[in-house]
Amino acid sequence: MFTKILIANRGEIAVRISRACRDLGISPIGVYSEPDAGAVHVGLSDEAICIGPAASVQSYLNISNIINAAKATGAEAIHPGYGFLAENADFAKAVEEAGLTFIGPGPVAMQTMGSKTGARRAAVEAGVPIVPGTVEPLRSLAEAERTAHEFGYPVMVKASAGGGGKGMRLVESSEELRSAFDNAKSEAAAAFGDDSLYLEKAVERPRHIEIQVFADTHGNIVHLGERECSIQRRHQKVIEECPSPINESGLRDRMGAAAVKLARAVNYVGAGTVEFLVADATRDFYFLEMNTRLQVEHPVTELVTGIDLVREQITVASGAPLSFSQDEVRWHGHAIECRVYAEDPDNNFFPSPGTISYLRVPSGPGIRDDSGVEENSEVSIHYDPLISKLAAWGRTRSEAIDRLRRALDEYEVGGIRTTLPFFRAVVRDEEFRSGKLDTGFISRFNARRDGARATESGKQDPEGRLQEDLALIAAALHFVRLQRRATGAGLPAADNQSRWKMGGRAALHDGRSLIGGGSKGLRDK
Ligand code: MV4
């Protein structure tokens, strides 16, 4: 077994991995960017190495600095967490070439699944159903027109290098195809440096259900059941559950068997997730993509199966067989997780960076909060604004929701806006409680929650793209100001008023300050 593991990540997932290391008697080694020197994950490490300045490309994505940090501290293995380098096959290769163990699948399985068309071909070869469509990148608009006609509209145009919805367009009719094709192509080129696209028939009102798989180096492959991830906003999951509230008998076994078959076909090792779309009407399921990492939402599976996925990742990477067999996996009760983001739900989920001036974290029966922050933590615009994952377990879905509601009401975060008020409304929503979830839930919920405003902005900006652009512009302006300040260049006088100033005072809409004074009434609650 390893004596030291370097954790190549930050925030709540670095904390989570550090805890698994401690449980195994392994020394966790941290890495951090300059502004993260005082971060929670650093304090929980035995040693920590600075790997560069704030920008991720220079720190958490800096392969050589991370490998040098592992060598300098004598770590034998590197856990990448999720995001950053977690699905970068070149990183996995570089780690192995440095004589270290990469805690994850081999680079070949990673590369196969990294190409969405390659993943579709692997699924076809393994006999796993895919959404009807192309399995090679489209060579031209003419080919897109031909195949769309062949499979029938509506279709989805997706980026081969994508995943998670980036570079994806829904196309309802042939008239819309050209612009969707062009837009998806440039979005894919900008996001992935690869503009190749493929095409799928659109599944209407789908549910998004994923299967957790686990494989060891001895040929054992098991599944740990499903997670329901249909509640998404702009292709970002916001609430995840295990089991799926609408799982019917037999579906878990069939989807689990398909996921294991696919993992076996690519010689998978470690934790992986196979995503499926499930058609509402027929309950047919189709392979979507496979994520070759530990996922954000892994705690709901842990709460229901009692299996520590991160511990198992580490023991499997050290060469040990899986600590359980498929027959020993049991699903007990129900778990639901909310992703608590530093975003303002009353302002189209604009990022809300700043200092956490006050924090009260809920606990009690059935509650788990995986957090990466504490009082006085800085939430930076440089990184993902996820501050914690609040999960509730109950014997039934209804009991889990009751506990989640209680925990959300207990939770207080001062100094920044968070998505907590949004979740407090969701757990009180009748449709959510009924469990009839599909991918249209969020837009129906938003319409119910703020009918007037939703219809008003919906007319001009049905997808909220204008709002999204404004958020990007605000973030870019903020970044320019930071750069100017760093280089000593003159700052606009208005900067004192900016809501986006890092380490500055987050202002309310009416100009009141959210921090300072510690007044309870000004917290996000
Ligand atoms: C789809 C789809 C319908 N048909 N693919 C893929 C990535 C995910 N974030 C969104 N994806 C979708 N792919 C086909 N062929 C519908 C979606 C989709 C969706 C899926 C799950 C949860 C929410 C969603 C919201 C919009 C679209």
Side-chain angles (χ1 to χ4, degrees), residues 131 156 158 164-165 168 200-203 208 230 232 235 277 439:
V131 187
M156 312 236 19
K158 300 186 176 187
M168 183 176 102
E200 284 178 0
K201 188 166 177 58
V203 179
H208 180 131
S230 293
Q232 302 187 8
H235 309 308
L277 285 182
T439 54

Side-chain angles (χ1 to χ4, degrees), residues 47 83 158 191 245 308 363 411 480 488:
E47 297 162 73
K158 300 186 176 187
D308 181 333
S363 65
Y411 213 150
V480 168

